Amino acid sequence: MRGRFAPTPSGDLHIGNALTAMLAWLQVRKNGGTFVLRIEDLDRPRCRPTFYRRICEDLRWLGLDWDEGPDVGGGYGPYEQGKRGQLYEAAFARLEKAGRLYPCFCSRKELRTLASAPHGLSSLGPAYPGLCRGLSAKEREARAKGKRPSHRFAVPDEPVAFDDAVMGRQTYSPGSGGDFVVKRADGIMSYQLAVVVDDAEMDITHVLRGADLLDSTVRQILLYRALRLPVPKFAHVPLIYGPDGQRLSKRHGEWITVSRLRENGVSAQRLMGILAFLAGLLEQPESLALEELLSHFTVETIREDDIHLDEPFVSKWF
Ligand code: GLU
């Protein structure tokens, strides 16, 4: 088993990220596998080296360790997406050669003004209505003179199904989700392509991550198929929502960040115990060493539904 935690260094680690990291770590450690830390700094302007350092510091404080990663090395590096551009370009070229991509000249503004088409992949926005899919070679050439295109993956009309270790059987008709961008007009590779290339190149067998990426998995499976790469096993774990019903974000205050809880004197064992309770691994929150948590962990025990924190819980435990 090879598993990973793949944070984007665009902010401090919050308790939702910590929960995902903990569960990914437990899954790998329980099975004697190899745990990889990969830094997803593809979207350069949003990422900062300070956040990368602070995320590592927080993870170590929590007691999580990794066998491979930017700071510890390993046989599958580099472990920062910013240094893996050539691998993404190679995969992009393979897809292009196989005729799976097409240039798209639509601007964001144009897409926004189109009536939003019905779509199947709800978290990924309205479906792309395929405007540029049918352009002739001549039209493409003419339009490329005025604008650098993005490149979209032509989603085949085939159903995608997979068994998620936490969320159960998932079935989609991704055609309704629209052809998605694999390379932006500014040359930046999309998360979807980068993550597939990385997980495949790093021989990741088990992907455990937040349920916000469940919809993306469909797109990623299509890319695995198109690139003839083995598809890993997936487990999508619940997200944490604040007392206002919104996904955790800065708006909720600093108590949601691991560093602030640490400064406030919350111990790592207590935080891990609270998170393990929220994930469904414990009957009640209690301080437990990670090693002890291992005996409570099975991927099947993780709850499927979202975690909603209410005010009394937050003031009691955080
Ligand atoms: N980098 C993504 C995030 O921080 C996670 C990607 C993944 O686990 O596939 O949300």
Side-chain angles (χ1 to χ4, degrees), residues 4-8 17 38 40 191 195 199 207-210 212-213 220:
R4 52 34 163 220
F5 180 58
T8 302
N17 313 130
R38 182 173 71 231
E40 303 213 318
Y191 156 71
V195 80
D199 283 335
V207 170
L208 185 151
R209 60 187 175 193
D212 51 331
L213 294 167
Q220 291 166 22

Side-chain angles (χ1 to χ4, degrees), residues 2 11 36 48 50 56 66 83 147 149 165 178 196 247 297 301:
R2 287 176 59 85
V36 177
R48 302 263 180 287
T50 32
C56 290
W66 45 97
K83 298 183 181 161
K147 190 175 189 292
V196 164
R247 287 262 305 278
F297 178 86
T301 319

Side-chain angles (χ1 to χ4, degrees), residues 195-214:
V195 80
V196 164
V197 170
D198 289 343
D199 283 335
E201 290 275 343
M202 293 182 182
D203 279 346
I204 298 298
T205 58
H206 290 70
V207 170
L208 185 151
R209 60 187 175 193
D212 51 331
L213 294 167
L214 197 56

Side-chain angles (χ1 to χ4, degrees), residues 54-231:
R54 289 159 69 121
I55 288 172
C56 290
E57 212 174 281
D58 288 343
L59 291 172
R60 290 206 197 281
W61 175 75
L62 288 167
L64 306 179
D65 60 349
W66 45 97
D67 309 300
E68 298 173 21
D71 54 341
V72 296
Y76 294 80
Y79 293 91
E80 291 121 307
Q81 287 190 329
K83 298 183 181 161
R84 300 176 62 79
Q86 284 181 344
L87 293 166
Y88 309 144
E89 289 296 344
F92 179 86
R94 280 179 61 199
L95 291 172
E96 199 168 41
K97 198 160 163 227
R100 309 300 299 265
L101 308 179
Y102 63 87
C104 171
F105 300 91
C106 298
S107 69
R108 260 187 223 181
K109 204 167 149 214
E110 277 167 334
L111 292 177
R112 260 200 310 271
T113 51
L114 289 169
S116 64
H119 51 83
L121 304 178
S122 55
S123 69
L124 298 171
Y128 175 67
L131 298 177
C132 291
R133 189 169 179 164
L135 295 182
S136 67
K138 223 168 158 187
E139 279 170 306
R140 282 178 186 161
E141 210 177 296
R143 295 188 67 172
K145 290 201 177 104
K147 190 175 189 292
R148 261 178 74 172
S150 62
H151 284 82
R152 289 183 185 268
F153 180 77
V155 169
D157 201 10
E158 63 189 58
V160 175
F162 64 98
D163 289 306
D164 190 89
V166 176
M167 301 292 173
R169 182 91 178 149
Q170 306 290 312
T171 359
Y172 295 87
S173 308
S176 59
D179 300 339
F180 57 91
V181 172
V182 293
K183 193 190 210 176
R184 296 186 345 199
D186 61 8
I188 294 191
M189 246 9 125
S190 74
Y191 156 71
Q192 309 291 2
L193 182 62
V195 80
V196 164
V197 170
D198 289 343
D199 283 335
E201 290 275 343
M202 293 182 182
D203 279 346
I204 298 298
T205 58
H206 290 70
V207 170
L208 185 151
R209 60 187 175 193
D212 51 331
L213 294 167
L214 197 56
D215 282 356
S216 286
T217 304
V218 181
R219 296 180 166 186
Q220 291 166 22
I221 288 175
L222 289 168
L223 290 175
Y224 280 108
R225 288 184 187 166
L227 290 164
R228 298 187 198 286
L229 294 169
V231 183

